[in-house]
Amino acid sequence: MKLKSLILGSSVAAISAVGAQAADAIVIAEPEPVEYVRVCDVYGAGFFYIPGTETCLRIGGEARFQVGAANDDDTTSWIGMYRSGDVNALIAGGLAPDAAFFLGSDTPNAHGFEPDTYNTEARGRFYIDARTQTEWGTLRGYVRVDASRGTAAIRTNKAFLELGGFKAGYEDSAWAFTPNAGAANYGSHSDSGLLYGYQQRNLIQYNFSGSNGFFATLSLEDDGINEFAGANAAAANPFTAPVAQVGYLGYSDRNYIPDVVLKAGVNQAWGAAWVTFGYDEDRTNLTTVVGANRLYTIADAIAGNPRINAVQGAGWTYGNQLGDSGWAAQAGVHLNVPSAPGSSFRLIGYYADSANAYNGHGGNWSILASYNHVFNQQFSASLGVQYVNNLYLPGTDIKTSRTELGKIDLWAAELSTVWEPVKNFQVRTETTYAKADGSDGTLSGFVRFSRFF
């Protein structure tokens, strides 16, 4: 019995030893750790953490198609011509008797469309927004690029960086928008905004946000490139009608003095109130056009574009004989409607001492009123109206009332609708009527389809 037990015990021990050796030989490798993309909810929907960093990134954009039309037929006679001898007369504060300033039969349309045809545009917009929390506040970098089919343009629409309240780069001028102002931005409720002076600049600014909704901004803005001659012509001054031209207008202010914008106000649950001051340190420092005559319209006066013409040889020469500073100011209030969530009323007053870069309406003073009503989550509509008093001659502080033209006023009215049947799909319409004294009124508008992502 003892022998049997010894044999059985030895067998079990041997089997156990073999099993232990086999178990030691089987090694299952641990999988490498995988870092999945994490959602970043610090800055709202759509952000995610870049793997291996604490930077939140969002990539988005818009696909847009727009069809517009206008009915102004005769704006070619809206031509302001000054012989070389008239420049001195303008400096003296009036027009020489031999000056020619002709008023067309139609006011240029509000959207800068070519009349009597469809104006179509397909646009792709892409942006990248990167943000990181630091001990100095949020560090942000933002780049937005537009590519349009119809205008054959690809351009950097925005490119700026922010650290706390500091901001630098290419962005909307503080005259039109600041990131701390909330509702105290832009013009009317429509996308075009009527005549409020939208423009973009290379800038350096500081934005302060205090308690109780108080905000203030100081913005130093580069005036070395005139946006009126570039992609912002229609947006900054919608009443600048396209005209026949050869050559190129360059607005170049090559010195070390920037334009300055100051803005302050309060933004609370009831709405917002604000004041803005813009200083254009040189409104008429223009360069020479190369080529044949370039024709300019009285729409330039409406737009406030700095275009004073002195004929030399076969082309127009733009001198800085009228070089001078100018300034503009605006004060506005935005009131939310308690009984209609999302609905609001806006009233903005503008004043300018001349036709300068911050004079978006082109006149001595202007008043803009706009109301937007939200009917439901899918549909809203707005109605806006603006009156402009006593247009300036382009690039000067000379009012039309001081010339043989007589006083020229302007007014415009618009109707805009926004329909969002499903999330991230929008159908927007705008229709605007504009009329200047001495010319017939014109009607223009568009329908736009947008898919946001």
Side-chain angles (χ1 to χ4, degrees):
M1 187 69 178
K2 290 182 179 178
L3 178 60
K4 183 177 180 181
S5 298
L6 179 61
I7 292 172
L8 291 174
S10 299
S11 299
V12 171
I15 294 172
S16 300
V18 173
Q21 291 176 358
D24 290 341
I26 300 173
V27 177
I28 301 175
E30 291 286 339
E32 293 292 329
V34 177
E35 184 174 3
Y36 296 98
V37 174
R38 295 177 295 150
V39 173
C40 175
D41 57 6
V42 178
Y43 307 107
F47 284 90
F48 61 90
Y49 285 101
I50 299 175
T53 74
E54 293 302 314
T55 296
C56 296
L57 186 70
R58 181 178 181 181
I59 301 173
E62 175 192 1
R64 171 195 299 184
F65 181 71
Q66 176 177 297
V67 180
N71 72 339
D72 51 326
D73 295 317
D74 180 18
T75 60
T76 57
S77 59
W78 284 59
I79 302 171
M81 298 190 301
Y82 305 89
R83 297 173 180 82
S84 57
D86 296 330
V87 174
N88 292 329
L90 286 170
I91 296 174
L95 284 173
D98 60 348
F101 207 110
F102 303 103
L103 196 62
S105 62
D106 291 338
T107 303
N109 73 81
H111 296 95
F113 291 149
E114 183 179 350
D116 297 328
T117 186
Y118 291 114
N119 291 250
T120 61
E121 180 193 20
R123 176 184 298 182
R125 169 171 288 177
F126 305 93
Y127 69 82
I128 298 176
D129 190 352
R131 308 187 195 187
T132 307
Q133 288 283 20
T134 75
E135 60 272 23
W136 284 20
T138 301
L139 174 62
R140 184 187 186 195
Y142 183 91
V143 177
R144 188 168 79 182
V145 177
D146 286 349
S148 297
R149 179 71 177 179
T151 60
I154 299 177
R155 71 185 189 100
T156 301
N157 182 273
K158 293 185 179 184
F160 61 83
L161 59 91
E162 292 177 308
L163 179 58
F166 174 80
K167 186 175 190 177
Y170 185 67
E171 164 68 308
D172 294 346
S173 166
W175 177 260
F177 168 83
T178 57
N180 55 354
N185 283 316
Y186 301 119
S188 70
H189 288 89
S190 72
D191 188 63
S192 298
L194 289 176
L195 294 169
Y196 68 97
Y198 176 80
Q199 57 193 284
Q200 292 179 304
R201 298 285 192 98
N202 287 318
L203 53 80
I204 297 176
Q205 67 182 210
Y206 185 78
N207 298 284
F208 172 78
S209 298
S211 60
N212 299 321
F214 175 77
F215 65 87
T217 294
L218 169 63
S219 185
L220 306 179
E221 305 189 347
D222 182 19
D223 55 358
I225 299 176
N226 177 26
E227 290 296 344
F228 297 126
N232 289 333
N237 298 284
F239 288 90
T240 303
V243 293
Q245 61 185 59
V246 178
Y248 177 76
L249 169 64
Y251 181 49
S252 178
D253 188 10
R254 300 303 179 188
N255 60 32
Y256 294 100
I257 306 175
D259 291 349
V260 180
V261 178
L262 299 171
K263 183 175 183 178
V266 61
N267 200 344
Q268 297 180 343
W270 56 265
W274 70 97
V275 292
T276 309
F277 174 84
Y279 173 74
D280 181 3
E281 64 91 17
D282 191 347
R283 66 175 185 262
T284 55
N285 186 12
L286 306 178
T287 57
T288 302
V289 169
V290 178
N293 291 356
R294 171 160 179 161
L295 304 181
Y296 282 176
T297 71
I298 203 171
D300 297 327
I302 296 173
N305 292 351
R307 296 166 177 172
I308 293 298
N309 314 328
V311 177
Q312 291 185 0
W316 297 99
T317 297
Y318 301 84
N320 58 6
Q321 299 98 323
L322 296 176
D324 199 359
S325 61
W327 62 271
Q330 61 170 292
V333 61
H334 177 104
L335 301 174
N336 296 323
V337 181
S339 59
S343 302
S344 61
F345 172 77
R346 296 171 67 85
L347 182 66
I348 311 173
Y350 302 90
Y351 178 85
D353 76 330
S354 59
N356 59 72
Y358 297 112
N359 183 349
H361 50 86
N364 181 226
W365 60 269
S366 177
I367 189 76
L368 183 155
S370 177
Y371 175 72
N372 180 66
H373 190 80
V374 177
F375 292 88
N376 52 51
Q377 292 183 345
Q378 288 76 38
F379 184 76
S380 64
S382 68
L383 179 65
V385 63
Q386 185 170 9
Y387 170 75
V388 180
N389 179 267
N390 208 355
L391 298 177
Y392 285 107
L393 296 184
T396 77
D397 59 0
I398 302 172
K399 302 171 185 176
T400 50
S401 60
R402 295 168 55 190
T403 73
E404 61 204 38
L405 295 170
K407 182 183 175 185
I408 299 177
D409 297 337
L410 168 75
W411 69 274
E414 66 172 7
L415 174 64
S416 175
T417 65
V418 178
W419 179 45
E420 297 183 5
V422 295
K423 185 178 180 180
N424 293 326
F425 176 70
Q426 182 184 96
V427 181
R428 178 184 291 270
T429 68
E430 276 189 26
T431 304
T432 305
Y433 178 84
K435 187 181 187 311
D437 290 345
S439 293
D440 294 334
T442 59
L443 193 67
S444 63
F446 65 80
V447 57
R448 177 189 301 163
F449 304 92
S450 295
R451 198 292 190 208
F452 302 98
F453 55 91

